[in-house]
Amino acid sequence: GENVEQHPSTLSVQEGDSAVIKCTYSDSASNYFPWYKQELGKRPQLIIDIRSNVGEKKDQRIAVTLNKTAKHFSLHITETQPEDSAVYFCAAAYNQGGKLIFGQGTELSVKP
Amino acid sequence: GAVVSQHPSWVICKSGTSVKIECRSLDFQATTMFWYRQFPKQSLMLMATSNEGSKATYEQGVEKDKFLINHASLTLSTLTVTSAHPEDSSFYICSARQGAEGYTFGSGTRLTVV
């Protein structure tokens, strides 16, 4: 079945450093890859997404890269700030409307 | 933007009772709703997919007789946890498919079974 693997499970960086979170997916038919930020007890918040016809997308300090051949996609956060501390989830879906499968999550801690 | 209203936000119930959770799409028609369960410090695990007017599709390992899903209209999907037990205590969250726009999540329901 569909599976999304996410690494690392925890990540601690100093304020101003970059953070990278990596995911792999199993279903080659997946073509929509969102990233979510979730604070404790709250709903996931979409921070960036990418479709399979694009290799990279950037939005200010956040970027996502996709390697379809390897079935890898990554989240890059530059110039991290303490308010970036949260749990981040990658996900993969088929046709952006099919079921969304989540990775295991990464707890990011940005130390001032 | 699109909003999915989920109620209740939290509920405490006695073991053996049933609890109903509602998700309503407020400004769009949600033909498909996804239901997730999230245990503390874990990921969102897909439980089932509900389509308006048809039976829900459950993920492997999810008991369909225990987690009843109804999607009787284009704006309302419900999840009923029947005969709840302490191990069912979790954060339940719905997500509506909004055409090509992606997914909109409800605010979640914290269920505690005592």
Side-chain angles (χ1 to χ4, degrees), chain A residues 38 43 96 98-100 103, chain B residues 36 38 43 59 97 100 103 105:
Chain A
Q38 187 183 31
R43 77 188 85 195
Q96 199 182 343
K99 55 185 180 180
L100 194 59
Chain B
Y36 294 86
Q38 186 177 31
S43 185
E59 294 299 302
R97 169 183 175 177
Y103 303 83
F105 287 86

Side-chain angles (χ1 to χ4, degrees), chain A:
Chain A
E2 308 90 345
N3 188 46
V4 178
E5 295 288 331
Q6 181 173 347
H7 299 280
S9 56
T10 61
L11 180 59
S12 182
V13 299
Q14 287 295 130
E15 182 177 1
D17 288 350
S18 295
V20 180
I21 303 171
K22 298 183 178 181
C23 289
T24 60
Y25 59 98
S26 62
D27 186 354
S28 56
S30 298
N31 60 3
Y32 175 65
F33 307 94
W35 285 88
Y36 294 93
K37 178 182 181 181
Q38 187 183 31
E39 298 180 356
L40 192 62
K42 301 290 180 71
R43 77 188 85 195
Q45 296 283 346
L46 178 69
I47 57 171
I48 196 167
D49 58 12
I50 192 167
R51 293 168 178 76
S52 59
N53 58 347
V54 176
E56 184 174 355
K57 183 176 178 180
K58 189 173 181 180
D59 182 4
Q60 299 183 349
R61 297 186 298 111
I62 295 173
V64 57
T65 59
L66 171 65
N67 181 330
K68 277 189 64 180
T69 302
K71 293 191 278 189
H72 289 173
F73 58 115
S74 301
L75 177 71
H76 303 253
I77 305 175
T78 59
E79 301 172 29
T80 54
Q81 301 166 2
E83 51 266 38
D84 293 330
S85 297
V87 179
Y88 291 80
F89 291 97
C90 63
Y94 176 71
N95 272 345
Q96 199 182 343
K99 55 185 180 180
L100 194 59
I101 304 299
F102 284 82
Q104 294 87 344
T106 296
E107 185 171 6
L108 174 64
S109 175
V110 180
K111 300 188 184 304

Side-chain angles (χ1 to χ4, degrees), chain B residues 30-32 50-56 69-76:
Chain B
T31 54
T32 302
S50 73
N51 293 294
E52 184 267 337
S54 63
K55 289 184 178 181
I69 290 172
N70 185 281
H71 196 154
S73 79
L74 287 170
T75 59
L76 175 64

Side-chain angles (χ1 to χ4, degrees), chain B residues 31-67:
Chain B
T31 54
T32 302
M33 193 79 77
F34 303 96
W35 286 94
Y36 294 86
R37 178 169 55 181
Q38 186 177 31
F39 292 110
K41 292 191 176 293
Q42 293 189 25
S43 185
L44 288 83
M45 299 301 298
L46 181 66
M47 299 174 67
T49 301
S50 73
N51 293 294
E52 184 267 337
S54 63
K55 289 184 178 181
T57 302
Y58 290 81
E59 294 299 302
Q60 192 173 5
V62 178
E63 300 174 59
K64 61 181 180 181
D65 294 331
K66 181 171 181 62
F67 299 99

